Amino acid sequence: MKEKILNALVALGFDLEQLDDFGYGFQYEGTNFIWLSSDNDESFLNIAIPAILEKGDTDDKNFFELMNMLNSNMKYIKANTLGDSLWLFYERDVYDENEDLERILTRMIVHLHGSLMEFRKAICEANKESGDDSDNDDSEVIDTEAVEENNNEE
C-alpha cells in the first residue's frame, strides 16, 4: 500500500522528500504537508500540516482554546499538539486496494489546506477586532472568542 500511496502522490504532481522515518514531505499552495507513513498499519492514511501555531505565540489558555475550537468546527480535520506546536491532521483508512487514491489524497489535501486558510482568516479577523493589525507573528494577539464567533457565522 505504501508504494501505491507514494505513486498516487507523485501522479498528482507532488515533489516528495523523505523525512527520515517520519514520512514524506511535500508542498501544496506554498504550505508544507507531511504524509505520515505507518509501517504498523499500511491501510491507515494520515496527512498533516505541521506547526500552524507555536505555543509561544499565545498563552496556554488561548492555545488550547484554539485547538478545541478547531476540533469542534472543522470537518474531517483533527488539531493536536506535537511538541510545542499545533498541527492539523486528516486521518482515514483505505478500505480497499482498488480505492481511487488520487481522489482520496486530493480530497484530504484540499480539506486540510482549506481548514488552514479558515484558521488564518479567523486569526486575522480576531486580531483586527482586538486592535492588533500587526502582521508580525511574534506579537500575535489571539482573541479566541472572536475566532469562535467568526467560525460560527460561516
Side-chain angles (χ1 to χ4, degrees):
M1 184 60 71
K2 181 176 181 177
E3 287 303 314
K4 287 183 177 187
I5 294 169
L6 287 171
N7 290 338
L9 287 166
V10 169
L12 290 169
F14 294 113
D15 227 358
L16 301 176
E17 176 186 347
Q18 189 166 6
L19 305 172
D20 297 323
D21 293 331
F22 205 54
Y24 293 83
F26 59 96
Q27 286 197 344
Y28 171 74
E29 297 288 324
T31 300
N32 292 319
F33 286 77
I34 300 173
W35 167 50
L36 302 155
S37 57
S38 174
D39 292 333
N40 298 344
D41 184 1
E42 287 194 9
S43 68
F44 181 67
L45 194 49
N46 186 359
I47 297 178
I49 298 178
I52 66 165
L53 180 68
E54 296 295 323
K55 266 192 183 175
D57 291 343
T58 184
D59 64 44
D60 281 351
K61 181 178 181 272
N62 280 348
F63 182 87
F64 289 108
E65 284 176 351
L66 281 166
M67 185 173 76
N68 186 50
M69 180 272 303
L70 283 167
N71 284 327
S72 62
N73 290 333
M74 303 291 183
K75 292 181 181 177
Y76 309 108
I77 306 301
K78 180 169 67 172
N80 211 338
T81 57
L82 199 57
D84 285 336
S85 62
L86 186 64
W87 289 42
L88 295 179
F89 295 89
Y90 190 127
E91 302 172 337
R92 78 177 301 274
D93 276 327
V94 177
Y95 299 108
D96 182 347
E97 285 190 25
N98 297 319
E99 284 191 83
D100 185 348
L101 287 175
E102 288 180 34
R103 184 175 158 269
I104 290 168
L105 290 165
T106 298
R107 183 173 175 87
M108 291 175 74
I109 292 163
V110 168
H111 271 279
L112 275 165
H113 189 260
S115 295
L116 176 63
M117 294 300 103
E118 286 300 315
F119 175 72
R120 287 179 177 167
K121 178 181 165 188
I123 294 295
C124 287
E125 289 181 14
N127 285 341
K128 285 179 186 173
E129 288 178 19
S130 69
D132 180 15
D133 291 328
S134 166
D135 287 334
N136 182 354
D137 288 342
D138 292 337
S139 64
E140 190 167 29
V141 175
I142 301 169
D143 181 350
T144 54
E145 287 179 19
V147 171
E148 184 77 38
E149 286 173 16
N150 179 57
N151 282 329
N152 289 335
E153 289 173 5
E154 295 174 0

